[in-house]
Amino acid sequence: MDKIKPFLRWAGGKTWLTKHIDEFLPREFNDYFEPFIGGGAIFLHLKSKGYIKNKSYLSDSNPDLINAYRIIKSNPTDLIHLLDKFKNTEEEYYKIRKVFFDNNIENAAKFIYLNKTSFNGIYRVNSKGEYNVPYGHRKTKELFDFENILKISDLLDKTYFSVTDFKRKCKETKENDLIFLDPPYTVAHENNGFIQYNQSIFSWKNQIELSHILNSLEQKQTHFVLTNASHKSIDELYQIGVKNILSRASTIGGIGAKRTNYNEIIISNVRR
């Protein structure tokens, strides 16, 4: 199958990790879980390569994100028809940003459009739950890859989506399942630009909870692969599994942020 890429721009996306993820995988596993699905780069890689043979349970706390995935699975043609009407202009962006739809397909189209045209593809809402990221002034001829959206839709058989807390989803895993955990990074390793607003999304308390969850996964013999910031506090908190440090280039930076290389830590209990 041709290479399939995420349909979203996603701060902290893991497309770069697809080159390395194979070395952390078990030779075979039952069901696949990903409770911080985000842009879905790892899932799409594993599914398109045939590594995922059974059911996939993909979840996130962001209902707009999960709705977009569900619509791509069930109504990709209607979604594409709506996306094809959008224009990449500042006037159009702010007009669409303030519109509230009561239709799931229209909401999915709005979410994808704003993601593609906003500043750095960041997802951020205010205290009222209103999306408030400014226009990105991106110069691109083709906002959307409709062929890629259709390919993703074809991949989503035996795939189940839910808006679920990560702790609850982790409890559903069983022996010999595989779970990939990519939480929003809490600590600012090498001054990562999108940490500033992740504190409210995924706190240090959540990091502690996740470290305890890894122990539970190990006890019931669930395979896990966790990505996190390569930072002393993370290294000290997570005392389980095998740790590997990978270096990658930064792809997200706020105003004044430098785009540079930084390290990420991969923690896994996979034994091959």
Side-chain angles (χ1 to χ4, degrees):
M1 181 177 288
D2 294 336
K3 184 175 178 59
I4 295 179
K5 59 182 184 292
F7 64 96
L8 298 170
R9 305 158 65 215
W10 203 255
K14 289 298 179 288
T15 297
W16 67 273
L17 185 57
T18 59
K19 300 175 184 176
H20 309 281
I21 192 67
D22 295 19
E23 62 192 84
F24 301 107
L25 299 177
R27 288 189 171 87
E28 57 182 41
F29 55 90
N30 291 331
D31 295 336
Y32 177 80
F33 287 76
E34 192 168 341
F36 306 97
I37 185 60
I42 296 300
F43 163 75
L44 294 173
H45 171 75
L46 298 182
K47 183 77 171 181
S48 63
K49 293 294 185 181
Y51 294 129
I52 299 175
K53 296 179 173 60
N54 299 311
K55 296 176 181 178
S56 298
Y57 297 93
L58 311 179
S59 54
D60 202 277
S61 60
N62 185 334
D64 292 324
L65 173 65
I66 295 302
N67 178 62
Y69 276 106
R70 285 172 170 160
I71 295 302
I72 286 179
K73 178 180 180 179
S74 62
N75 294 288
T77 303
D78 291 340
L79 174 66
I80 288 170
H81 179 70
L82 289 176
L83 289 173
D84 199 34
K85 297 179 179 180
F86 288 131
K87 300 178 180 64
N88 184 15
T89 67
E90 189 166 4
E91 180 182 8
E92 175 96 338
Y93 179 85
Y94 287 110
K95 181 181 80 172
I96 296 300
R97 197 181 77 165
K98 68 181 180 181
V99 174
F100 287 90
F101 298 106
D102 56 8
N103 176 286
N104 285 338
I105 300 178
E106 290 177 317
N107 274 323
K110 173 185 176 180
F111 177 78
I112 296 170
Y113 167 73
L114 293 179
N115 172 269
K116 289 290 189 177
T117 53
S118 68
F119 175 73
N120 266 340
I122 291 170
Y123 182 87
R124 185 186 65 205
V125 296
N126 60 22
S127 59
K128 298 179 181 179
E130 299 167 337
Y131 186 82
N132 64 356
V133 181
Y135 180 60
H137 297 279
R138 297 184 71 214
K139 304 298 180 184
T140 178
K141 290 183 179 180
E142 300 293 335
L143 273 184
F144 313 107
D145 186 337
F146 296 141
E147 184 178 350
N148 186 66
I149 288 175
L150 291 172
K151 288 178 181 177
I152 291 174
S153 182
D154 289 340
L155 276 184
L156 298 181
D157 61 300
K158 295 192 294 185
T159 299
Y160 305 91
F161 297 99
S162 61
V163 181
T164 312
D165 178 81
F166 74 95
K167 297 185 288 293
R168 181 182 304 175
K169 213 63 190 174
C170 288
K171 289 180 180 178
E172 296 178 12
T173 62
K174 303 173 294 299
E175 181 180 352
N176 205 36
D177 286 343
L178 171 64
I179 185 166
F180 176 68
L181 298 151
D182 180 34
Y185 294 172
T186 307
V187 294
H189 62 105
E190 284 102 45
N191 297 315
N192 195 337
F194 54 90
I195 297 299
Q196 296 164 6
Y197 63 87
N198 277 354
Q199 304 283 3
S200 60
I201 300 172
F202 197 80
S203 65
W204 183 251
K205 178 185 176 183
N206 293 143
Q207 289 278 9
I208 295 172
E209 291 171 332
L210 186 52
S211 71
H212 294 159
I213 285 171
L214 292 195
N215 292 320
S216 298
L217 295 173
E218 173 73 7
Q219 289 175 7
K220 60 182 175 179
Q221 298 182 34
T222 298
H223 305 292
F224 66 77
V225 179
L226 167 78
T227 66
N228 221 311
S230 180
H231 189 276
K232 181 181 178 182
S233 61
I234 295 295
D235 186 43
E236 292 175 348
L237 176 63
Y238 290 89
Q239 294 295 318
I240 191 170
V242 177
K243 299 173 184 175
N244 289 270
I245 306 297
L246 296 179
S247 178
R248 60 152 301 192
S250 170
T251 56
I252 293 291
I255 296 174
K258 295 181 179 179
R259 296 176 186 252
T260 183
N261 282 5
Y262 60 88
N263 294 326
E264 299 202 11
I265 190 168
I266 313 296
I267 304 174
S268 173
N269 71 337
V270 173
R271 300 169 181 87
R272 304 187 63 168

